[in-house]
């Protein structure tokens, strides 16, 4: 499922969220890395980093990825968690 994780340097597999963020932002084209992520992969990256700290990555996310992130995080079956949805709007 997390195909991008397999492309990480070995030292990042257990790195902190901020180390992962720094690595992504140091890539020649961070937008290409983010664009290649499936929405669920991007969600796990954001969880590892922390949504507020990962804000720079959201700038590179497509509309489809952003919509999926909200769907993954704010919906439980057929019920919307308004506080979680509002958290996404605050970003």
């Amino acid at each position: 499922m997390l195909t991008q994780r397999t492309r990480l340097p070995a030292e990042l597999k257990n790195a902190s969220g901020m180390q992962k963020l720094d690595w992504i932002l140091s890539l020649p084209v961070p937008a290409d890395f983010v664009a290649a992520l499936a929405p669920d992969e991007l969600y796990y990256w954001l969880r590892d980093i922390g949504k507020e700290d990962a804000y720079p990555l959201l700038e590179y996310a497509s509309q489809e990825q952003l919509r999926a992130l909200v769907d993954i995080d704010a919906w439980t079956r057929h019920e919307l968690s308004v506080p979680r949805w509002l958290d996404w709007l605050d970003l």
Side-chain angles (χ1 to χ4, degrees):
M1 175 169 74
L2 298 177
T3 57
Q4 290 292 345
R5 286 183 185 257
T6 62
R7 294 189 222 165
L8 289 177
E11 64 271 12
L12 281 183
K13 292 199 183 218
N14 295 313
S16 73
M18 291 309 293
Q19 289 171 318
K20 292 175 183 176
L21 177 62
D22 290 342
W23 180 81
I24 294 169
L25 296 177
S26 73
L27 293 171
V29 186
D32 288 349
F33 180 83
V34 173
L37 293 170
D40 59 335
E41 291 175 311
L42 181 55
Y43 176 75
Y44 288 115
W45 276 91
L46 295 177
R47 282 192 46 201
D48 286 349
I49 295 166
K51 280 193 284 191
E52 289 80 15
D53 293 328
Y55 182 76
L57 297 185
L58 292 176
E59 292 181 19
Y60 300 124
S62 69
Q63 291 296 318
E64 178 184 326
Q65 286 171 315
L66 293 173
R67 190 175 312 112
L69 291 173
V70 174
D71 286 347
I72 291 167
D73 194 50
W75 286 91
T76 305
R77 294 189 187 199
H78 301 291
E79 192 169 316
L80 174 68
S81 170
V82 174
R84 284 182 162 179
W85 179 72
L86 290 173
D87 283 345
W88 283 102
L89 290 180
D90 287 341
L91 295 176

